Short mmCIF file of all heavy atoms in Angstrom, two decimals:
data_model
loop_
_atom_site.label_atom_id
_atom_site.label_comp_id
_atom_site.label_asym_id
_atom_site.label_seq_id
_atom_site.Cartn_x
_atom_site.Cartn_y
_atom_site.Cartn_z
N ASN A 263 30.26 196.57 172.93
CA ASN A 263 29.69 196.87 171.63
C ASN A 263 30.60 197.87 170.94
O ASN A 263 31.56 198.35 171.51
CB ASN A 263 28.25 197.38 171.74
CG ASN A 263 28.12 198.55 172.70
OD1 ASN A 263 29.11 199.12 173.14
ND2 ASN A 263 26.91 198.91 173.03
N ALA A 264 30.32 198.15 169.68
CA ALA A 264 31.16 199.09 168.93
C ALA A 264 30.42 200.41 168.75
O ALA A 264 29.22 200.43 168.60
CB ALA A 264 31.52 198.50 167.58
N ASN A 265 31.18 201.49 168.78
CA ASN A 265 30.57 202.79 168.51
C ASN A 265 30.68 203.08 167.01
O ASN A 265 31.12 202.24 166.23
CB ASN A 265 31.21 203.88 169.37
CG ASN A 265 32.69 204.04 169.10
OD1 ASN A 265 33.22 203.53 168.13
ND2 ASN A 265 33.38 204.76 169.97
N ASP A 266 30.29 204.26 166.59
CA ASP A 266 30.27 204.60 165.16
C ASP A 266 31.65 204.55 164.52
O ASP A 266 31.78 204.28 163.34
CB ASP A 266 29.66 205.99 164.96
CG ASP A 266 28.17 205.99 165.28
OD1 ASP A 266 27.55 204.92 165.23
OD2 ASP A 266 27.65 207.07 165.60
N SER A 267 32.70 204.80 165.29
CA SER A 267 34.05 204.82 164.71
C SER A 267 34.65 203.42 164.63
O SER A 267 35.77 203.26 164.18
CB SER A 267 34.96 205.74 165.54
OG SER A 267 35.15 205.19 166.83
N GLY A 268 33.93 202.40 165.08
CA GLY A 268 34.44 201.04 165.04
C GLY A 268 35.27 200.67 166.24
O GLY A 268 35.75 199.55 166.34
N ASN A 269 35.50 201.61 167.14
CA ASN A 269 36.26 201.34 168.35
C ASN A 269 35.32 200.66 169.35
O ASN A 269 34.32 201.23 169.74
CB ASN A 269 36.80 202.66 168.92
CG ASN A 269 37.76 202.46 170.07
OD1 ASN A 269 38.03 201.35 170.49
ND2 ASN A 269 38.28 203.56 170.58
N PRO A 270 35.64 199.42 169.76
CA PRO A 270 34.75 198.73 170.70
C PRO A 270 34.63 199.50 172.02
O PRO A 270 35.58 200.13 172.48
CB PRO A 270 35.41 197.37 170.91
CG PRO A 270 36.66 197.37 170.15
CD PRO A 270 36.80 198.66 169.40
N VAL A 271 33.45 199.41 172.59
CA VAL A 271 33.16 200.11 173.84
C VAL A 271 32.82 199.07 174.91
O VAL A 271 32.04 198.15 174.67
CB VAL A 271 31.96 201.08 173.66
CG1 VAL A 271 31.58 201.73 174.97
CG2 VAL A 271 32.30 202.14 172.62
N LEU A 272 33.42 199.24 176.07
CA LEU A 272 33.10 198.42 177.23
C LEU A 272 32.15 199.21 178.10
O LEU A 272 32.45 200.36 178.47
CB LEU A 272 34.36 198.08 178.01
CG LEU A 272 34.15 197.46 179.40
CD1 LEU A 272 33.60 196.05 179.27
CD2 LEU A 272 35.45 197.46 180.18
N THR A 273 30.99 198.62 178.42
CA THR A 273 30.09 199.23 179.39
C THR A 273 30.21 198.41 180.66
O THR A 273 29.92 197.21 180.68
CB THR A 273 28.64 199.22 178.88
OG1 THR A 273 28.60 199.92 177.62
CG2 THR A 273 27.71 199.91 179.87
N PHE A 274 30.66 199.06 181.71
CA PHE A 274 30.91 198.38 182.98
C PHE A 274 30.40 199.25 184.11
O PHE A 274 30.84 200.40 184.25
CB PHE A 274 32.40 198.08 183.13
CG PHE A 274 32.74 197.29 184.36
CD1 PHE A 274 32.49 195.93 184.42
CD2 PHE A 274 33.32 197.90 185.45
CE1 PHE A 274 32.80 195.19 185.54
CE2 PHE A 274 33.64 197.18 186.58
CZ PHE A 274 33.38 195.82 186.63
N GLU A 275 29.46 198.70 184.88
CA GLU A 275 28.87 199.40 186.02
C GLU A 275 28.36 200.79 185.62
O GLU A 275 28.59 201.78 186.30
CB GLU A 275 29.86 199.47 187.18
CG GLU A 275 30.19 198.09 187.73
CD GLU A 275 31.10 198.10 188.94
OE1 GLU A 275 31.75 199.14 189.22
OE2 GLU A 275 31.14 197.06 189.62
N GLY A 276 27.69 200.82 184.46
CA GLY A 276 27.05 202.05 184.02
C GLY A 276 27.95 203.06 183.34
O GLY A 276 27.50 204.12 182.92
N LYS A 277 29.24 202.74 183.22
CA LYS A 277 30.18 203.65 182.57
C LYS A 277 30.67 203.02 181.27
O LYS A 277 30.75 201.80 181.15
CB LYS A 277 31.37 203.95 183.48
CG LYS A 277 30.97 204.69 184.74
CD LYS A 277 32.18 204.97 185.59
CE LYS A 277 31.76 205.68 186.87
NZ LYS A 277 32.89 205.91 187.77
N LYS A 278 31.01 203.86 180.30
CA LYS A 278 31.49 203.39 178.99
C LYS A 278 32.97 203.73 178.84
O LYS A 278 33.40 204.82 179.20
CB LYS A 278 30.67 204.01 177.86
CG LYS A 278 29.23 203.57 177.91
CD LYS A 278 28.45 204.11 176.74
CE LYS A 278 27.00 203.68 176.90
NZ LYS A 278 26.45 203.10 175.73
N TYR A 279 33.70 202.76 178.29
CA TYR A 279 35.13 202.92 178.08
C TYR A 279 35.48 202.47 176.67
O TYR A 279 34.99 201.43 176.22
CB TYR A 279 35.93 202.06 179.08
CG TYR A 279 35.58 202.32 180.53
CD1 TYR A 279 34.56 201.61 181.16
CD2 TYR A 279 36.28 203.27 181.27
CE1 TYR A 279 34.25 201.83 182.49
CE2 TYR A 279 35.96 203.50 182.61
CZ TYR A 279 34.94 202.77 183.21
OH TYR A 279 34.64 203.00 184.52
N LEU A 280 36.32 203.23 175.99
CA LEU A 280 36.81 202.82 174.68
C LEU A 280 37.91 201.78 174.90
O LEU A 280 38.95 202.07 175.51
CB LEU A 280 37.35 204.01 173.89
CG LEU A 280 36.32 205.08 173.53
CD1 LEU A 280 37.00 206.28 172.88
CD2 LEU A 280 35.26 204.51 172.61
N ILE A 281 37.68 200.58 174.43
CA ILE A 281 38.60 199.48 174.72
C ILE A 281 39.98 199.75 174.16
O ILE A 281 40.98 199.46 174.82
CB ILE A 281 38.02 198.15 174.20
CG1 ILE A 281 36.79 197.78 175.05
CG2 ILE A 281 39.06 197.04 174.23
CD1 ILE A 281 36.09 196.52 174.65
N ASN A 282 40.07 200.31 172.97
CA ASN A 282 41.39 200.57 172.37
C ASN A 282 42.21 201.57 173.17
O ASN A 282 43.43 201.65 172.99
CB ASN A 282 41.23 201.06 170.93
CG ASN A 282 40.71 199.96 170.02
OD1 ASN A 282 40.76 198.78 170.34
ND2 ASN A 282 40.19 200.36 168.88
N GLU A 283 41.56 202.32 174.05
CA GLU A 283 42.28 203.31 174.86
C GLU A 283 42.66 202.77 176.24
O GLU A 283 43.30 203.47 177.01
CB GLU A 283 41.44 204.58 174.99
CG GLU A 283 41.24 205.30 173.68
CD GLU A 283 40.37 206.54 173.79
OE1 GLU A 283 39.99 206.91 174.92
OE2 GLU A 283 40.08 207.14 172.74
N LEU A 284 42.27 201.54 176.53
CA LEU A 284 42.58 200.95 177.83
C LEU A 284 43.96 200.31 177.81
O LEU A 284 44.46 199.92 176.75
CB LEU A 284 41.51 199.91 178.20
CG LEU A 284 40.09 200.43 178.32
CD1 LEU A 284 39.12 199.27 178.54
CD2 LEU A 284 39.96 201.45 179.44
N SER A 285 44.55 200.16 178.99
CA SER A 285 45.87 199.54 179.08
C SER A 285 45.78 198.05 178.75
O SER A 285 44.71 197.44 178.81
CB SER A 285 46.43 199.71 180.50
OG SER A 285 45.71 198.91 181.41
N ASP A 286 46.92 197.48 178.38
CA ASP A 286 46.97 196.05 178.07
C ASP A 286 46.56 195.22 179.28
O ASP A 286 45.92 194.17 179.13
CB ASP A 286 48.37 195.65 177.61
CG ASP A 286 48.70 196.18 176.22
OD1 ASP A 286 47.76 196.54 175.48
OD2 ASP A 286 49.90 196.23 175.87
N ASP A 287 46.91 195.68 180.47
CA ASP A 287 46.54 194.97 181.69
C ASP A 287 45.01 194.89 181.84
O ASP A 287 44.46 193.84 182.18
CB ASP A 287 47.17 195.67 182.91
CG ASP A 287 46.92 194.93 184.20
OD1 ASP A 287 47.14 193.70 184.23
OD2 ASP A 287 46.50 195.58 185.17
N ILE A 288 44.35 195.99 181.58
CA ILE A 288 42.89 196.02 181.66
C ILE A 288 42.28 195.15 180.57
O ILE A 288 41.33 194.40 180.81
CB ILE A 288 42.37 197.48 181.58
CG1 ILE A 288 42.79 198.26 182.82
CG2 ILE A 288 40.85 197.50 181.43
CD1 ILE A 288 42.48 199.74 182.78
N LYS A 289 42.86 195.20 179.36
CA LYS A 289 42.37 194.36 178.27
C LYS A 289 42.48 192.87 178.63
O LYS A 289 41.60 192.07 178.30
CB LYS A 289 43.12 194.65 176.98
CG LYS A 289 42.78 196.00 176.38
CD LYS A 289 43.64 196.26 175.14
CE LYS A 289 43.47 197.67 174.64
NZ LYS A 289 44.38 197.97 173.52
N GLU A 290 43.56 192.50 179.30
CA GLU A 290 43.73 191.11 179.73
C GLU A 290 42.68 190.73 180.77
O GLU A 290 42.16 189.61 180.76
CB GLU A 290 45.14 190.88 180.30
CG GLU A 290 46.22 190.84 179.25
CD GLU A 290 46.03 189.72 178.23
OE1 GLU A 290 45.73 188.58 178.64
OE2 GLU A 290 46.16 190.00 177.01
N SER A 291 42.35 191.66 181.65
CA SER A 291 41.29 191.40 182.64
C SER A 291 39.95 191.20 181.95
O SER A 291 39.17 190.32 182.34
CB SER A 291 41.19 192.55 183.64
OG SER A 291 42.34 192.62 184.44
N ILE A 292 39.69 191.99 180.92
CA ILE A 292 38.45 191.85 180.16
C ILE A 292 38.40 190.48 179.50
O ILE A 292 37.39 189.78 179.56
CB ILE A 292 38.32 192.98 179.11
CG1 ILE A 292 38.11 194.33 179.80
CG2 ILE A 292 37.18 192.70 178.14
CD1 ILE A 292 38.26 195.53 178.88
N LYS A 293 39.51 190.07 178.87
CA LYS A 293 39.57 188.75 178.24
C LYS A 293 39.34 187.65 179.27
O LYS A 293 38.64 186.67 179.00
CB LYS A 293 40.92 188.54 177.55
CG LYS A 293 41.07 189.32 176.27
CD LYS A 293 42.43 189.07 175.64
CE LYS A 293 42.66 190.00 174.46
NZ LYS A 293 44.02 189.85 173.90
N GLY A 294 39.94 187.80 180.45
CA GLY A 294 39.74 186.82 181.52
C GLY A 294 38.29 186.71 181.93
O GLY A 294 37.77 185.61 182.13
N LEU A 295 37.62 187.84 182.04
CA LEU A 295 36.20 187.84 182.39
C LEU A 295 35.36 187.18 181.30
O LEU A 295 34.42 186.43 181.59
CB LEU A 295 35.70 189.27 182.63
CG LEU A 295 36.04 189.86 183.99
CD1 LEU A 295 35.71 191.35 184.01
CD2 LEU A 295 35.27 189.14 185.08
N GLN A 296 35.71 187.45 180.04
CA GLN A 296 34.97 186.83 178.94
C GLN A 296 35.12 185.31 178.96
O GLN A 296 34.15 184.58 178.77
CB GLN A 296 35.47 187.39 177.59
CG GLN A 296 35.07 188.82 177.35
CD GLN A 296 35.74 189.42 176.13
OE1 GLN A 296 36.87 189.09 175.79
NE2 GLN A 296 35.03 190.31 175.46
N ILE A 297 36.33 184.85 179.23
CA ILE A 297 36.57 183.41 179.31
C ILE A 297 35.79 182.81 180.47
O ILE A 297 35.15 181.77 180.34
CB ILE A 297 38.08 183.12 179.45
CG1 ILE A 297 38.78 183.47 178.14
CG2 ILE A 297 38.33 181.66 179.83
CD1 ILE A 297 40.29 183.50 178.23
N ALA A 298 35.82 183.48 181.62
CA ALA A 298 35.09 182.99 182.79
C ALA A 298 33.59 182.91 182.51
O ALA A 298 32.93 181.93 182.89
CB ALA A 298 35.36 183.89 184.00
N GLU A 299 33.06 183.92 181.84
CA GLU A 299 31.63 183.92 181.51
C GLU A 299 31.27 182.77 180.56
O GLU A 299 30.25 182.10 180.73
CB GLU A 299 31.22 185.26 180.91
CG GLU A 299 31.17 186.37 181.94
CD GLU A 299 30.82 187.73 181.34
OE1 GLU A 299 30.34 187.79 180.20
OE2 GLU A 299 31.01 188.73 182.04
N LYS A 300 32.14 182.52 179.58
CA LYS A 300 31.89 181.41 178.65
C LYS A 300 31.95 180.07 179.37
O LYS A 300 31.15 179.18 179.12
CB LYS A 300 32.91 181.44 177.51
CG LYS A 300 32.65 182.55 176.51
CD LYS A 300 33.70 182.59 175.42
CE LYS A 300 33.46 183.79 174.51
NZ LYS A 300 34.52 183.92 173.49
N GLN A 301 32.91 179.93 180.28
CA GLN A 301 33.03 178.69 181.05
C GLN A 301 31.80 178.48 181.94
O GLN A 301 31.29 177.37 182.05
CB GLN A 301 34.30 178.70 181.90
CG GLN A 301 35.58 178.58 181.09
CD GLN A 301 35.74 177.18 180.51
OE1 GLN A 301 35.57 176.20 181.20
NE2 GLN A 301 36.08 177.11 179.24
N LEU A 302 31.35 179.55 182.59
CA LEU A 302 30.15 179.45 183.43
C LEU A 302 28.94 179.01 182.61
O LEU A 302 28.18 178.14 183.03
CB LEU A 302 29.86 180.78 184.12
CG LEU A 302 30.69 181.09 185.35
CD1 LEU A 302 30.50 182.54 185.77
CD2 LEU A 302 30.34 180.15 186.48
N LYS A 303 28.78 179.59 181.44
CA LYS A 303 27.66 179.23 180.56
C LYS A 303 27.76 177.76 180.16
O LYS A 303 26.76 177.03 180.19
CB LYS A 303 27.66 180.13 179.32
CG LYS A 303 26.66 179.77 178.27
CD LYS A 303 25.25 180.12 178.67
CE LYS A 303 24.29 179.94 177.51
NZ LYS A 303 23.34 178.88 177.67
N MET A 304 28.96 177.32 179.81
CA MET A 304 29.15 175.94 179.41
C MET A 304 28.79 174.99 180.56
O MET A 304 28.10 174.00 180.38
CB MET A 304 30.60 175.69 178.98
CG MET A 304 30.86 174.27 178.51
SD MET A 304 32.59 173.94 178.18
CE MET A 304 33.24 173.86 179.84
N HIS A 305 29.23 175.30 181.76
CA HIS A 305 28.96 174.45 182.92
C HIS A 305 27.48 174.50 183.32
O HIS A 305 26.92 173.50 183.76
CB HIS A 305 29.87 174.80 184.08
CG HIS A 305 31.29 174.38 183.84
ND1 HIS A 305 31.69 173.06 183.75
CD2 HIS A 305 32.41 175.10 183.64
CE1 HIS A 305 32.98 172.99 183.51
NE2 HIS A 305 33.44 174.23 183.44
N GLU A 306 26.85 175.65 183.16
CA GLU A 306 25.41 175.74 183.42
C GLU A 306 24.65 174.84 182.46
O GLU A 306 23.72 174.13 182.85
CB GLU A 306 24.93 177.18 183.29
CG GLU A 306 25.35 178.07 184.44
CD GLU A 306 25.09 179.55 184.17
OE1 GLU A 306 24.66 179.92 183.05
OE2 GLU A 306 25.32 180.35 185.09
N ASP A 307 25.06 174.85 181.18
CA ASP A 307 24.42 173.99 180.19
C ASP A 307 24.66 172.51 180.52
O ASP A 307 23.77 171.69 180.38
CB ASP A 307 24.94 174.30 178.78
CG ASP A 307 24.49 175.66 178.27
OD1 ASP A 307 23.54 176.24 178.86
OD2 ASP A 307 25.07 176.14 177.28
N THR A 308 25.87 172.19 180.97
CA THR A 308 26.18 170.82 181.36
C THR A 308 25.31 170.38 182.53
O THR A 308 24.77 169.26 182.54
CB THR A 308 27.68 170.68 181.73
OG1 THR A 308 28.46 171.03 180.59
CG2 THR A 308 28.02 169.27 182.17
N LEU A 309 25.13 171.25 183.51
CA LEU A 309 24.28 170.93 184.66
C LEU A 309 22.83 170.69 184.23
O LEU A 309 22.17 169.78 184.72
CB LEU A 309 24.33 172.04 185.70
CG LEU A 309 25.60 172.08 186.54
CD1 LEU A 309 25.63 173.34 187.40
CD2 LEU A 309 25.72 170.85 187.41
N LYS A 310 22.34 171.48 183.29
CA LYS A 310 20.99 171.29 182.78
C LYS A 310 20.85 169.93 182.12
O LYS A 310 19.87 169.20 182.34
CB LYS A 310 20.62 172.39 181.77
CG LYS A 310 20.37 173.73 182.41
CD LYS A 310 20.10 174.79 181.34
CE LYS A 310 20.06 176.18 181.95
NZ LYS A 310 19.94 177.22 180.92
N LEU A 311 21.85 169.56 181.30
CA LEU A 311 21.82 168.25 180.63
C LEU A 311 21.87 167.11 181.64
O LEU A 311 21.16 166.11 181.50
CB LEU A 311 22.97 168.13 179.64
CG LEU A 311 22.83 168.94 178.37
CD1 LEU A 311 24.13 168.89 177.57
CD2 LEU A 311 21.68 168.43 177.53
N LEU A 312 22.70 167.26 182.66
CA LEU A 312 22.79 166.23 183.70
C LEU A 312 21.48 166.09 184.45
O LEU A 312 21.04 164.98 184.79
CB LEU A 312 23.94 166.53 184.67
CG LEU A 312 25.33 166.33 184.11
CD1 LEU A 312 26.37 166.90 185.06
CD2 LEU A 312 25.60 164.87 183.84
N SER A 313 20.84 167.21 184.72
CA SER A 313 19.56 167.18 185.42
C SER A 313 18.49 166.48 184.58
O SER A 313 17.71 165.66 185.10
CB SER A 313 19.12 168.61 185.75
OG SER A 313 17.88 168.61 186.41
N ILE A 314 18.47 166.78 183.28
CA ILE A 314 17.51 166.12 182.39
C ILE A 314 17.79 164.62 182.34
O ILE A 314 16.87 163.80 182.41
CB ILE A 314 17.58 166.75 180.98
CG1 ILE A 314 17.01 168.17 181.02
CG2 ILE A 314 16.84 165.89 179.96
CD1 ILE A 314 17.30 168.98 179.77
N SER A 315 19.06 164.26 182.25
CA SER A 315 19.43 162.83 182.21
C SER A 315 19.04 162.13 183.50
O SER A 315 18.53 161.00 183.47
CB SER A 315 20.94 162.69 182.00
OG SER A 315 21.31 163.21 180.76
N ARG A 316 19.27 162.77 184.62
CA ARG A 316 18.91 162.17 185.91
C ARG A 316 17.41 161.95 185.99
O ARG A 316 16.94 160.88 186.41
CB ARG A 316 19.38 163.07 187.06
CG ARG A 316 19.02 162.49 188.44
CD ARG A 316 19.46 163.37 189.56
NE ARG A 316 18.78 164.66 189.46
CZ ARG A 316 19.05 165.70 190.21
NH1 ARG A 316 20.01 165.65 191.10
NH2 ARG A 316 18.37 166.82 190.08
N THR A 317 16.63 162.93 185.57
CA THR A 317 15.17 162.79 185.58
C THR A 317 14.74 161.63 184.70
O THR A 317 13.87 160.83 185.09
CB THR A 317 14.51 164.10 185.12
OG1 THR A 317 14.89 165.15 186.00
CG2 THR A 317 12.99 163.98 185.10
N SER A 318 15.36 161.50 183.55
CA SER A 318 15.03 160.40 182.65
C SER A 318 15.37 159.06 183.29
O SER A 318 14.59 158.10 183.22
CB SER A 318 15.78 160.57 181.33
OG SER A 318 15.54 159.48 180.49
N LEU A 319 16.52 158.97 183.93
CA LEU A 319 16.93 157.72 184.60
C LEU A 319 16.00 157.37 185.75
O LEU A 319 15.65 156.19 185.96
CB LEU A 319 18.37 157.82 185.08
CG LEU A 319 19.43 157.82 183.97
CD1 LEU A 319 20.78 158.23 184.52
CD2 LEU A 319 19.50 156.45 183.32
N VAL A 320 15.57 158.36 186.50
CA VAL A 320 14.62 158.13 187.60
C VAL A 320 13.31 157.58 187.04
O VAL A 320 12.74 156.62 187.57
CB VAL A 320 14.38 159.42 188.41
CG1 VAL A 320 13.17 159.30 189.32
CG2 VAL A 320 15.62 159.77 189.22
#
Side-chain angles (χ1 to χ4, degrees):
N263 53 10
N265 61 13
D266 291 337
S267 67
N269 188 358
V271 175
L272 168 70
T273 302
F274 184 76
E275 296 184 344
K277 296 180 182 177
K278 295 184 183 229
Y279 305 89
L280 296 174
I281 291 179
N282 292 342
E283 294 179 5
L284 299 174
S285 70
D286 288 341
D287 185 48
I288 293 173
K289 289 176 188 175
E290 287 299 315
S291 293
I292 292 168
K293 286 180 188 175
L295 280 170
Q296 290 171 327
I297 291 168
E299 287 178 15
K300 286 178 185 176
Q301 290 289 314
L302 280 169
K303 173 73 171 113
M304 182 186 74
H305 289 294
E306 287 169 355
D307 291 345
T308 299
L309 285 172
K310 287 176 189 174
L311 287 172
L312 288 170
S313 179
I314 290 167
S315 297
R316 180 181 62 187
T317 300
S318 176
L319 289 167
V320 166

